[in-house]
Amino acid sequence: GWSLLGLSIELTEEGDACADKVLDAAFAYAAAIRHSGPVARVTSELVELAALGFKFEEKGAELSRAQGVATGLRHFPPAEVLSGPALHSADDPATLSSFLEALDPARAFAQHVSKRY
């Protein structure tokens, strides 16, 4: 499977003038996270946030929900089809490690949008 991580950074005019340095700093921070590995406090907070997001998820169109369930049948056991993509477990170090390894500039698509252009 694959995942997409979006990161949006709003820059001042000074930051906009040196956007490459800001991007380098963002990737350096990602590298620090990748090398330090999962932090228990952060992973447990992410688990809690995912559970809240699932519990209070806005109801979508029925067709969209049915398509999501059908796709989930290929990736999750029947008991987890409805919640599988939304809930996370802090007790899954392999998945967390693979996610951290993917935080790599070589796998990134960076886009700079500016009023200057």
Side-chain angles (χ1 to χ4, degrees), residues 14-88:
E14 183 181 352
D16 188 44
C18 56
D20 289 340
K21 290 180 182 178
V22 173
L23 186 62
D24 289 344
F27 283 129
Y29 182 70
I33 293 171
R34 190 171 58 250
H35 293 1
S36 68
V39 176
R41 179 186 56 80
V42 174
T43 54
S44 65
E45 190 173 309
L46 290 173
V47 168
E48 289 177 33
L49 286 172
L52 285 171
F54 178 72
K55 183 176 181 178
F56 297 106
E57 178 182 25
E58 289 187 34
K59 303 302 176 212
E62 288 82 7
L63 179 60
S64 177
R65 173 66 72 179
Q67 289 171 333
V69 169
T71 301
L73 288 169
R74 291 184 287 168
H75 303 287
F76 300 100
E80 297 177 11
V81 168
L82 295 177
S83 64
L87 298 180
H88 309 289

Side-chain angles (χ1 to χ4, degrees), residues 1-4 75 107:
W2 61 274
S3 294
L4 181 66
H75 303 287
R107 299 177 180 203

Side-chain angles (χ1 to χ4, degrees), residues 9 17 29 32 45 67 79 81 96 100-101 116:
I9 303 172
Y29 182 70
E45 190 173 309
Q67 289 171 333
V81 168
L96 289 172
L100 291 174
E101 286 302 315
R116 294 186 312 153

